[in-house]
Amino acid sequence: QANVTDTYDVVVVGSGAGAMSAAIFAADQGMSVLIVEKSDKYGGTSALSGGGIWVPNNHYFKARGGNDSYDQALTYLKASTQGSVDEKRLRAYLDNAPKMMQYLQENTQLNYTVAERYPDYYQHLPGSAPGGRTLDPELFDTSKLGDEVDNLRPASPTTLLLGKIAWTARHAHKAMSKERGWRLMIVWLMLRYKLDFKWRRKTRRDRRAALGNALIASLRASLMDRKVPLWLNTDFQELIETNGRISGLIVKRDGQEQVIQVRKGVILGSGGFEQNQSLRDKYLPKPTQQAWSATPPGNNTGAALEAGQAIGAATELLDWAWWAPTISVPGEDKARGVFAERAFPGAIVVNGEGKRFVNEAVGYLEFVDEMYKDNQKTGGKTVPAWVVFDAHFRFNYAMGPLMPSQVMPDSRMPKAWHKTVYWKADSLDELAAEIGVDAAGLKNTVVRVNGFAATGNDEDFQRGGNVFDRYYGDSNVKPNPCLAPIKKGPFYAMRLDAGDIGTKGGLLTNERGCVVREDGSEIPGLYAIGNCSASVMGTTYPGAGATLGPAMTFGYIAAHDLARQP
Ligand code: FAD
């Protein structure tokens, strides 16, 4: 029998962006709040992310004269989700997301800016926008966290310039698409890092946090301003229900079981189940591997899902993830997502028959969804798939961990990467043999794509046919910035797995963020946000930031709903 050790108005489980925002909103509503986090670091996957937040009709864009509206965004969300998500939830999202961001911007240390040119992912759907709905974090000075900086889950080196220097999404895009002045910008970022002598004496880590790390650091600093306690090494295990409402929870803190009572309720924000192989095997399409996930190992193992199911909560979308193709690199603890590089001209993706099966430049969720569909058709020849490119591409562009050979020639790459991360051969035939792909199929595909590169028209998959595809294209390449021929040896291939950046199915909630049972009735006092809840985006990924946006927005909604409880 565990002892009751503490009582709070609200307990928030997990310390991702949704959970931390919810705790801020709850505290600002005058409630006492505790955050419990199972790992020894706070921030979860959110801390490793790009930190982008998708907020249609936001005040940042409007202040810059941008054109968007609630109705346009609703049209888009309805067209994306195709009736699979209750319209009340869609409306709750669109109503509250702009308010949520404005509140954080005005009342906390969060500092965001609008990505005016980052397009929605489904440009063919009505209501889509060519930019202005994704918000990106500015850099955050982590010296404001004092010693708490040591408990911040470090950013993935893959999201930092040269693996260590903080840069914003704006900087990264400028460098990737080689906009004017990109080289100077990089020199300036490097100098700023190097000349920060005081911080350099302390650590290799940049003083500035970027992207998802900036989001989490600024939320943590804002929680410290409010004196909201955050317990690390505290594993949530079970919910306690008394007379039909949630009255507390059982946690294991530093190995000791204890009961925490709640006066108002519990907000579950403890992520999905992508780090639990048996739940993956049970729910996700096959084949599926925990090791293909780009999320931190061991964190998100489905605790909220199982605790909710144990008390009769309804679930949805358990066979879905926020898919993203990934590459595993020896010695790294998690896979790397391949988000942008698929759109660069001169790289194609093929299945085991050597055939393309998708517009390589589509959003990452659609990409892996198409991988699974083609895998069915080919009897298992599309997971993994192979990205193929030539020496010209290799010289000019990055692909996964391979920086362009003009800065990272093959001779300077770790030896262990050859035939684990990349394969290389003098001819396409030899390359096909190395990776076990049909050689004739690959050759035919390359001839066909080279023809498309000359005309600028991808007759098979319309790659580069819209503003989203072209966002990561190379504007110097004509006539289509996403298409270039593959002809100069040596030729390269890299293995793409059917990875994810988190699962997206979980406990079903209503428009107030409250968890419901199969019959639609609420479980009073129980709320779920982020990837432990069934996504308000259904099976889609409408724009950059469509996972963090809902997590934080339903945190806002849940906290206000809790404040209204007696
Ligand atoms: P998390 O942020 O993972 O937080 C869950 C926390 O709960 C973890 O700290 C975990 O340890 C804790 N926890 C788990 N179980 C327990 C338990 N039993 N008790 C206590 N604590 C527990 N999304 C976007 O919207 N925009 C982006 O720009 C973006 N970029 C991305 C880039 C990368 C490289 C990756 C990997 C993901 C990206 N994503 C992005 C996806 C996004 O990061 C995740 O979908 C999001 O962080 C999930 O938030 P969450 O709060 O549900 O989970």
Side-chain angles (χ1 to χ4, degrees), residues 13-19 36-39 41-53 159 234-237 269-272 274 294-295 299-301 303 322 339 501-502 529-532 541 544-549 551:
V13 181
S15 63
V36 295
E37 163 57 50
K38 124 181 173 182
S39 95
K41 297 271 183 289
Y42 59 85
T45 308
S46 307
L48 308 176
S49 74
I53 301 180
T159 58
T234 305
D235 189 6
F236 154 71
Q237 308 204 306
S270 56
E274 65 276 0
T295 64
N299 269 11
N300 299 341
T301 51
W322 301 101
F339 300 109
I501 53 173
I529 59 173
N531 292 350
C532 68
Y541 208 133
T547 92
L548 293 171

Side-chain angles (χ1 to χ4, degrees), residues 53 92 96 127 161 212 220 275 281 289 298 314 349 360 417 440 462:
I53 301 180
N96 289 288
L161 175 63
R220 182 71 187 110
Q275 287 296 329
D281 290 339
Q289 287 295 327
V349 178
E360 289 86 349
W417 287 10
Q462 291 73 50

Side-chain angles (χ1 to χ4, degrees), residues 119-134:
D120 286 342
Y121 290 177
Y122 308 130
Q123 286 297 314
H124 60 288
L125 292 183
S128 65
R133 287 180 176 165
T134 296

